[in-house]
Amino acid sequence: MNSHDKYLVFLPSCILVKGYERSVILDIQRAVLDFVPNDVYDIFQKYNKQKIGDILLNYNNEEQEIVMEYIGFLMQNEYAILGTKHDAEHIPAMSLKYNFCGQITNCICEYSEFTHKNIRRILNIIDIQLGCSALQIVCNKQLTIKELIIFLENLQHITYLNHLEVVLPYLPEYSDKDLDKLLCNPIINRLILYSAPFDNVKDLKHTFIVYLRENLNNNTCGIVDKSYFTQNIFHITEALHHNTCLHRKLFIDKNGNIKNCPYSETVFGNILNDDVEKIITTPSFKKYWNIKKDEIEVCKDCEFRYVCTDCRIFIKNRNNIYSQPEHCHYNTYITKWKGEEGYVTVEEWLKKNNTL
């Protein structure tokens, strides 16, 4: 069969996202992110599952060569195939519907005497009642290994939680032997030690130990950086339909107060004294849940909008809930990160181009 008689079929595991200057292909199956010209995105939108010969009729001779180069690139990298009419008709598109059975996806709990004392009751609420799948315990005080082990023994009997992260300040007294003893607990997926004298990540196969020089403060919340990109179907579909920062998120402070996140000011109730299931269904608690990246200023023009995590607490314009995250230092209009040669802020670029 002549190649012009074959059909261009993009593989279902590949999602194309158009930015201001360029597009990206998100290959979910292989966790690959690849940059392509916006023309490739346009070809996909117009001509996916159409015959090559019919596609080329829309271009002159010079343009046809470029289109065939694009198609060659897609095939070489296994983002698309040249298939039969049967392939075009029967290879299904991937569902981009967001699915999660629990009422809360992730919870951050601040460690204190109160939360330590009541951790079993708290777990019963977030795990059994709310079906939460990820829990982060944040300690703002230094704890001994013995204290941590005693606390973590309370986390053994869980049902829905499948990811546990413990964040605490670094202590020079933490020996490798102590940490190994601590991490015998099979439910810990990651231990983060902040205010450490160095940056490092230790892969222990069943868990990770992350050493961070930085301290925990509002300057570290909501940072948009390539190292924080999440490229899986759960995150991408959530980004398409909801807010990737505050959607189905719960924060419990040291006194048991319920908030949207550690840096939000509004208190909605108390984890032990109020009906949490009722609280999380109120419009005020869900205020930011459905603010999508496609609606946020600047983000809606960015090719990374479905793989980065948003922030609605630290935004550039506090009077506009659709304002760009304050701690994003990527300029999608020139495709440069802060620190790269030629970088200017989004505000400088918009002013220069008379779009403010």
Side-chain angles (χ1 to χ4, degrees):
M1 181 186 291
N2 188 294
S3 63
H4 285 203
D5 294 326
K6 292 186 177 181
Y7 290 75
L8 175 64
V9 182
F10 282 80
L11 297 184
S13 60
C14 296
I15 298 174
L16 276 82
V17 186
K18 188 174 185 179
Y20 184 84
E21 279 290 324
R22 62 184 176 182
S23 296
V24 294
I25 295 177
L26 306 177
D27 186 332
I28 296 174
Q29 186 173 351
R30 294 179 292 179
V32 171
L33 185 154
D34 219 340
F35 297 105
V36 293
N38 281 338
D39 286 345
V40 173
Y41 175 90
D42 294 335
I43 290 171
F44 166 75
Q45 288 294 103
K46 293 180 182 178
Y47 305 121
N48 185 30
K49 297 188 176 181
Q50 292 194 27
K51 191 181 294 186
I52 295 295
D54 294 339
I55 296 173
L56 295 177
L57 291 176
N58 296 280
Y59 301 93
N60 61 38
N61 290 339
E62 185 177 342
E63 291 170 337
Q64 287 180 9
E65 291 184 16
I66 297 172
V67 169
M68 289 306 294
E69 285 181 13
Y70 290 156
I71 293 174
F73 167 82
L74 295 170
M75 292 177 58
Q76 182 179 355
N77 290 278
E78 299 180 337
Y79 301 136
I81 62 170
L82 292 186
T84 62
K85 184 178 181 181
H86 182 272
D87 295 328
E89 292 175 345
H90 291 89
I91 293 180
M94 179 172 58
S95 172
L96 296 178
K97 183 179 179 180
Y98 174 78
N99 288 301
F100 182 76
C101 60
Q103 298 179 71
I104 291 293
T105 58
N106 64 103
C107 174
I108 301 174
C109 182
E110 185 177 6
Y111 179 87
S112 67
E113 290 184 11
F114 174 87
T115 52
H116 188 147
K117 179 182 177 180
N118 296 285
I119 189 62
R120 287 186 180 271
R121 292 177 64 189
I122 292 172
L123 275 177
N124 183 64
I125 293 169
I126 65 172
D127 180 36
I128 305 301
Q129 292 185 29
L130 303 182
C132 181
S133 64
L135 172 65
Q136 183 186 71
I137 305 291
V138 178
C139 307
N140 293 311
K141 57 179 286 188
Q142 294 180 327
L143 299 175
T144 65
I145 292 295
K146 184 177 180 181
E147 288 174 313
L148 278 168
I149 289 175
I150 292 173
F151 175 66
L152 291 172
E153 284 177 353
N154 293 302
L155 305 179
Q156 295 292 337
H157 305 292
I158 55 178
T159 302
Y160 295 103
L161 282 171
N162 55 43
H163 183 94
L164 174 65
E165 192 170 274
V166 179
V167 182
L168 66 155
Y170 171 87
L171 270 180
E173 291 79 12
Y174 291 156
S175 67
D176 289 341
K177 185 177 180 180
D178 286 335
L179 293 176
D180 288 343
K181 188 176 181 181
L182 172 67
L183 295 173
C184 284
N185 190 321
I187 65 170
I188 298 180
N189 301 93
R190 184 158 50 184
L191 173 66
I192 299 177
L193 302 173
Y194 64 88
S195 299
F198 53 86
D199 290 315
N200 190 30
V201 177
K202 290 179 66 175
D203 185 352
L204 301 182
K205 294 185 179 179
H206 68 288
T207 189
F208 293 89
I209 303 178
V210 181
Y211 297 87
L212 297 175
R213 291 178 184 270
E214 62 189 11
N215 195 0
L216 293 186
N217 54 57
N218 58 10
N219 291 321
T220 60
C221 181
I223 293 177
V224 177
D225 185 85
K226 287 181 285 188
S227 61
Y228 297 147
F229 285 173
T230 303
Q231 191 174 329
N232 59 51
I233 190 61
F234 183 82
H235 182 92
I236 291 171
T237 54
E238 186 172 37
L240 282 164
H241 302 287
H242 306 286
N243 188 263
T244 51
C245 174
L246 298 178
H247 179 239
R248 303 198 189 197
K249 184 174 187 174
L250 185 72
F251 172 64
I252 305 167
D253 75 7
K254 60 185 180 182
N255 299 312
N257 293 320
I258 296 169
K259 300 181 179 181
N260 287 126
C261 94
Y263 298 103
S264 59
E265 297 178 356
T266 306
V267 174
F268 297 93
N270 188 276
I271 190 72
L272 299 185
N273 301 329
D274 298 296
D275 187 338
V276 182
E277 289 188 271
K278 185 176 180 180
I279 288 172
I280 64 174
T281 61
T282 59
S284 56
F285 188 83
K286 297 169 65 175
K287 178 180 178 180
Y288 301 102
W289 278 24
N290 296 317
I291 298 179
K292 303 180 286 290
K293 279 292 191 179
D294 287 328
E295 300 171 330
I296 296 170
E297 293 178 350
V298 181
C299 297
K300 60 187 178 183
D301 296 327
C302 182
E303 64 273 27
F304 298 128
R305 62 187 178 272
Y306 301 144
V307 293
C308 83
T309 300
D310 187 46
C311 180
R312 290 298 88 202
I313 303 302
F314 298 107
I315 54 180
K316 292 186 175 180
N317 181 356
R318 302 298 165 88
N319 297 316
N320 178 9
I321 62 173
Y322 296 98
S323 179
Q324 183 189 13
E326 181 180 354
H327 297 153
C328 177
H329 301 296
Y330 175 69
N331 188 336
T332 186
Y333 303 111
I334 56 174
T335 65
K336 290 188 181 294
W337 292 89
K338 185 177 180 180
E340 293 182 339
E341 185 177 353
Y343 171 84
V344 296
T345 65
V346 166
E347 291 74 22
E348 289 175 299
W349 186 91
L350 292 173
K351 185 176 181 179
K352 182 179 179 181
N353 289 273
N354 299 316
T355 55
L356 274 178

